[in-house]
Amino acid sequence: MTTQTFPSPLHGWRLFSLLAAAVLLMTALILLLEPNLVEATRSAIRATARSSFALFLLAFTASAWAVLRPSPLSQTLVRERRYIGLAFAFSHLVHALLIYRYGQLNPEFWPGRSTLGNLPGSVGYLFILLLTLTSFKGPAALLSRRAWKRLHTTGMWVLAAIFAYSNFKRIALSDWYLLPFAITGAAMVFNLLGKLAQASKRRQRQALNTR
Ligand code: HEM
């Protein structure tokens, strides 16, 4: 079977660079346009959480799109998943740098947070680090194919759960957070449906081969 992808000059590291530049431009604009630096930093933290969320959703649902809605666009999404995932990690690196800066600008920030409150985010960053490192050949070679797959599947689900939780706990602040919370839930269901469809296709192929 030949896989058709979307014809685009933007792929691989070029795509990563464009996405990373967009995250940096968005952050710079927020920091420049808001006169109060403390508020600007907080807004930029929120904005980078949202850019990370959009990139995460693309990487998390890529395979499911390709199985459930095959098209050149969905095949392209699968082909570029690694670079979209790395752009997600970059966006979250900016989220972390802004949090660090915010802690300096607002000395009440860290004392106002509990260890338990920081736990989901810290676990999230641990997985982002592991997934990023093992996206490169050298560190990936230290793992068996099965262990690599297990790590990446677990990591993506842990991150999806953290996005769901982070948005859920903010629903009390604004109904608006119902939207990203529902989108995360829908992405989880879609990912699972994609996995079921893949497994069923595999079984059909095996049955044909044993005939
Ligand atoms: C210890 C690590 C982390 C800390 C200290 C942290 C801190 C923050 C802060 C201060 C905000 C802005 C809150 C506000 O103004 O309402 C924020 C927003 C957010 N963060 Fe993080 N974060 C961490 C890690 C993560 C991770 C790993 C994820 C996701 C995988 C994440 C997802 C979010 C989301 C979804 C928002 C809400 C954005 C919005 O308002 O739409 N954070 N975080």
Side-chain angles (χ1 to χ4, degrees), residues 39 41-50 52-53 56 88 92 95-96 98-100 102 109-110 113 117-126 128 158-170 173 176-177 180:
E39 274 314 303
T41 310
R42 188 125 194 168
S43 299
I45 292 174
R46 278 196 296 271
T48 48
R50 289 170 196 177
S52 302
F53 183 53
F56 173 81
F88 155 71
H92 237 68
H95 188 69
L98 288 163
I99 291 165
Y100 176 74
Y102 187 72
F109 176 63
W110 288 115
R113 290 182 69 95
N118 286 328
L119 189 67
S122 307
V123 171
Y125 273 113
L126 178 67
I128 292 172
V158 168
L159 289 167
I162 295 171
F163 273 117
Y165 170 72
S166 301
N167 286 305
F168 178 76
K169 72 176 183 188
R170 288 180 170 86
L173 303 174
W176 186 94
Y177 286 99

Side-chain angles (χ1 to χ4, degrees), residues 33-181:
L33 295 178
E34 162 67 59
N36 180 328
L37 185 59
V38 183
E39 274 314 303
T41 310
R42 188 125 194 168
S43 299
I45 292 174
R46 278 196 296 271
T48 48
R50 289 170 196 177
S51 54
S52 302
F53 183 53
L55 293 165
F56 173 81
L57 284 177
L58 289 176
F60 184 62
T61 57
S63 294
W65 282 114
V67 181
L68 300 171
R69 286 273 174 272
S71 72
L73 189 60
S74 61
Q75 298 290 352
T76 304
L77 202 55
V78 171
R79 189 191 66 195
E80 302 302 329
R81 188 173 38 181
R82 174 172 182 248
Y83 300 96
I84 296 170
L86 288 171
F88 155 71
F90 179 82
S91 175
H92 237 68
L93 172 67
V94 181
H95 188 69
L97 294 175
L98 288 163
I99 291 165
Y100 176 74
R101 184 74 187 117
Y102 187 72
Q104 291 178 325
L105 293 168
N106 175 7
E108 283 160 28
F109 176 63
W110 288 115
R113 290 182 69 95
S114 64
T115 310
L116 194 65
N118 286 328
L119 189 67
S122 307
V123 171
Y125 273 113
L126 178 67
F127 273 103
I128 292 172
L129 183 67
L130 289 173
L131 298 194
T132 304
L133 289 176
T134 54
S135 292
F136 293 91
K137 268 190 192 150
L142 299 173
L143 299 174
S144 68
R145 177 83 202 134
R146 236 179 124 185
W148 187 94
K149 184 103 191 89
R150 209 176 287 162
L151 171 68
H152 278 249
T153 305
T154 310
M156 291 302 269
W157 275 90
V158 168
L159 289 167
I162 295 171
F163 273 117
Y165 170 72
S166 301
N167 286 305
F168 178 76
K169 72 176 183 188
R170 288 180 170 86
I171 294 174
L173 303 174
S174 157
D175 288 346
W176 186 94
Y177 286 99
L178 266 170
L179 180 66
F181 175 67

